[in-house]
Amino acid sequence: MPVTLTEKAAKHVSNFIAKRGKGVGLRLGVRTTGCSGMAYKLEFADAVNDDDALFESHGVKVIVDPKSLPYLEGTELDFAREGLNEGFKFRNPNVKDECGCGESFNI
């Protein structure tokens, strides 16, 4: 299943890459941490590795490393503004439970 961006998230990423002046897309992964076991990691990618999974959503490349892919399959990334706060929201169908602070999850 693909990893996708909503139109709002894709626009935000495109604007940031344009301001940054370089980059091929958004690298999405997971790392072991937090009170529930795993946390998302996001960074702007300057290259795609040979073993990376590559998806495209609304003109933006989403790059996922092979270790993270099983945890992220089917995930949709949105960008939301709520009051004074703004940030990415993950809709991951694989998540079984999240910690109270929302920083980590388990599968």
Side-chain angles (χ1 to χ4, degrees):
M1 290 181 60
V3 177
T4 59
L5 302 174
T6 64
E7 193 170 341
K8 277 196 268 185
K11 185 175 180 179
H12 182 77
V13 170
S14 292
N15 289 342
F16 194 88
I17 289 173
K19 286 179 190 174
R20 188 173 176 250
K22 64 178 182 173
V24 296
L26 183 69
R27 180 172 294 280
L28 178 59
V30 296
R31 59 187 163 90
T32 304
T33 189
C35 43
S36 288
M38 305 189 96
Y40 297 107
K41 61 180 184 175
L42 284 170
E43 57 191 15
F44 293 95
D46 294 328
V48 178
N49 300 325
D50 290 337
D51 60 347
D52 285 335
L54 183 61
F55 306 96
E56 190 159 332
S57 193
H58 300 284
V60 174
K61 288 182 176 78
V62 180
I63 304 154
V64 181
D65 67 88
K67 285 185 174 181
S68 298
L69 186 59
Y71 304 105
L72 296 173
E73 286 185 311
T75 296
E76 180 184 60
L77 188 59
D78 192 13
F79 187 79
R81 293 174 197 239
E82 297 170 358
L84 298 176
N85 298 321
E86 65 180 23
F88 289 104
K89 299 281 185 187
F90 294 84
R91 295 185 190 118
N92 185 342
N94 305 301
V95 170
K96 302 291 184 233
D97 193 26
E98 294 179 320
C99 70
C101 65
E103 293 296 318
S104 62
F105 64 96
N106 68 39
I107 293 184

